[in-house]
Amino acid sequence: MLTNGKAAALGLQHVLAMYAGAVLVPLLIGGAIGFNSEQMTYLVSIDIFMCGVATLLQLFVNRYFGIGLPVVLGCAMQAVSPLILIGSSDGIGVMYGAIIASGIFMLLIAGLFSKIKRFFPPVVTGTVITVIGLTLIPVGIEKMGGGSKTAADFGSGKALFLAFLTVAIILCIQLFAKGFIRSLAIIIGLIAGTAVAAIMGMVSLAPVVEASWFHIPRPFYFGTPVFEWSSILTMILISIVSMVESTGVYFALGDVTKQKIEEQDLKRGYRAEGLAIILGGIFNTFPYTAFSQNVGLVQMSGIRTRKPIYFAAGFLMLLGLMPKIGAFATIIPEPVLGGAMVILFGMVATQGIKMLGRVDLNKEGNLMIVALSLGLGLGVTVVPELFAHLPATVQTFTGNGIVVTTTAPQTEKTPTELQKAI
């Protein structure tokens, strides 16, 4: 039986697994736009708080929204560049107006977009999930080296030692521990790796000391939204990309939890994301999407219920209200995070390969779909410059390996098949 204490520990593990990715988006956007330290504190805190709210919207299943899977929502990384451009050139009000409008668009399009389930047989979903994992692994590898490839000390002996120590601890727990302790392999690895880093003098408590004790979310903190059509169109394109990525996460979690994902499930999931994006715009944070790294955690822990995710959502909201406590999660060194991420992202890819194992690859059509999708999806991820001369709006789609992987198999369908599916 999963007690509240055990569920809380698993929920904390989910928070630590996604925390770095969640706070990275506001740090990047706020830093590029030129926010001061007070504004940055609000931005990070409200972002974490709204991650919890967005996650709850997916957990509470009702007639209108909520997919009911153990899914955690965080800020969409693909929105970073467009939002920096909009915020820098047109102003903060236009940026948040575009976010709110894109959330409304997602709510309105959810029913139509949910019909793409017919485009996701196992050969497609397995390939998409595999590519999601494989395209995320380089992010973990970069963190293992210290966080930035351009840094002079990237790949230093200390960084590599911490990264591989974290990997070794997680593997040892998975191999030799039993019961509930085994399901906490990631969080134990992160804590142990951080403790060793502290002994080595690589952990600073300055973020904890400087953070305030309490913070109250305020709507329109940075001013009222302004609605400008070209910025709205840009963010609508980003929301479509997010919906495609979330679809892959939904199907991966459905496979892990043995839950069949129906058209109505997808519709409620998209609506929950759309509502989360609208709330994000109102409280001056950013668009939200399903976080794929938590899929690997569900698979690895073996706990497939929503109970730990309720605790994760509660922790996120608490951390958002109490920045000083939330700051503790920011002191985990990059190499330690990287070691854990590589395992989690590898688990996502493995889940996709597992799904492909149930596909008859002796059929030439299936073999071609996997070959084409993997080739194009990984190719544009490694060399996004391939489409550098295309319009920026087109590059939003072509530069995203996951989107390319998702759309490539549909070229195998005839116009009649596409019409029937819609």
Side-chain angles (χ1 to χ4, degrees):
M1 180 180 176
L2 187 63
T3 64
N4 287 334
K6 291 180 178 180
L10 288 168
L12 180 59
Q13 184 169 246
H14 275 282
V15 170
L16 292 178
M18 59 81 69
Y19 196 90
V23 301
L24 184 60
V25 171
L27 289 175
L28 290 173
I29 296 175
I33 294 177
F35 284 173
N36 59 36
S37 59
E38 181 181 349
Q39 290 172 319
M40 288 297 291
T41 298
Y42 173 84
L43 198 62
V44 172
S45 297
I46 191 62
D47 167 62
I48 294 303
F49 179 84
M50 291 306 299
C51 282
V53 173
T55 299
L56 283 179
L57 290 175
Q58 289 288 23
L59 295 175
F60 287 118
V61 181
N62 57 64
R63 180 179 176 183
Y64 302 104
F65 62 84
I67 197 167
L69 291 168
V71 59
V72 177
L73 272 69
C75 283
M77 185 62 70
Q78 61 267 25
V80 171
S81 295
L83 287 176
I84 289 175
L85 180 63
I86 294 170
S88 301
S89 60
D90 299 320
I92 299 172
V94 173
M95 180 177 72
Y96 285 116
I99 290 173
I100 293 172
S102 68
I104 295 172
F105 169 82
M106 189 178 288
L107 278 177
L108 296 176
I109 203 69
L112 178 61
F113 204 82
S114 65
K115 296 183 184 296
I116 68 170
K117 178 183 183 296
R118 304 181 188 183
F119 295 146
F120 282 83
V123 66
V124 176
T125 55
T127 307
V128 170
I129 294 163
T130 300
V131 170
I132 288 176
L134 294 178
T135 55
L136 287 172
I137 286 174
V139 177
I141 292 293
E142 189 166 357
K143 285 188 175 296
M144 287 179 73
S148 176
K149 292 182 289 187
T150 58
D153 62 345
F154 180 77
S156 67
K158 288 184 177 181
L160 294 180
F161 170 74
L162 282 176
F164 285 104
L165 175 65
T166 304
V167 170
I169 292 170
I170 294 171
L171 289 179
C172 286
I173 293 170
Q174 276 287 302
L175 290 173
F176 302 113
K178 295 181 179 180
F180 182 66
I181 296 298
R182 186 179 182 186
S183 66
L184 293 178
I186 295 294
I187 191 172
I188 294 173
L190 290 174
I191 293 173
T194 302
V196 174
I199 296 172
M200 297 170 62
M202 297 176 64
V203 174
S204 171
L205 294 177
V208 179
V209 175
E210 295 171 1
S212 60
W213 280 105
F214 191 71
H215 158 90
I216 299 176
R218 287 167 48 190
F220 307 120
Y221 180 88
F222 295 113
T224 56
V226 178
F227 299 95
E228 191 272 324
W229 73 269
S230 62
S231 299
I232 290 173
L233 179 59
T234 298
M235 291 312 299
I236 283 175
L237 294 175
I238 294 298
S239 69
I240 293 174
V241 174
S242 296
M243 291 170 81
V244 171
E245 293 198 31
S246 292
T247 302
V249 174
Y250 296 155
F251 279 111
L253 283 171
D255 188 69
V256 170
T257 59
K258 311 301 180 186
Q259 180 177 330
K260 187 176 181 181
I261 306 300
E262 303 288 355
E263 186 176 307
Q264 289 300 316
D265 298 317
L266 292 175
K267 186 187 299 186
R268 293 195 305 270
Y270 299 144
R271 284 175 179 168
E273 285 196 28
L275 185 56
I277 292 172
I278 294 172
L279 291 173
I282 291 174
F283 284 93
N284 289 164
T285 179
F286 305 109
Y288 292 93
T289 189
F291 262 28
S292 53
Q293 52 262 56
N294 292 85
V295 178
L297 200 52
V298 173
Q299 171 77 358
M300 192 171 180
S301 69
I303 307 298
R304 296 170 173 82
T305 69
R306 284 177 283 170
K307 192 173 182 179
I309 311 302
Y310 280 110
F311 278 98
F315 286 142
L316 286 167
M317 295 173 69
L318 179 63
L319 294 175
L321 293 174
M322 304 179 69
K324 191 174 286 290
I325 296 177
F328 273 103
T330 67
I331 68 174
I332 302 174
E334 296 275 31
V336 174
L337 277 174
M341 284 182 172
V342 166
I343 294 177
L344 290 176
F345 297 155
M347 291 295 291
V348 175
T350 303
Q351 183 64 28
I353 295 170
K354 180 181 175 182
M355 294 175 71
L356 286 175
R358 299 195 290 266
V359 175
D360 185 4
L361 294 180
N362 290 319
K363 290 184 179 180
E364 191 171 328
N366 287 341
L367 194 63
M368 182 58 68
I369 287 174
V370 175
L372 178 65
S373 301
L374 284 175
L376 289 177
L378 293 176
V380 301
T381 300
V382 176
V383 190
E385 296 83 3
L386 177 66
F387 302 105
H389 295 292
L390 296 179
T393 52
V394 177
Q395 290 184 50
T396 300
F397 294 91
T398 58
N400 189 302
I402 298 168
V403 175
V404 172
T405 303
T406 305
T407 55
Q410 310 313 328
T411 60
E412 300 286 320
K413 298 182 182 291
T414 65
T416 302
E417 289 174 322
L418 293 174
Q419 291 172 5
K420 287 180 179 179
I422 296 174

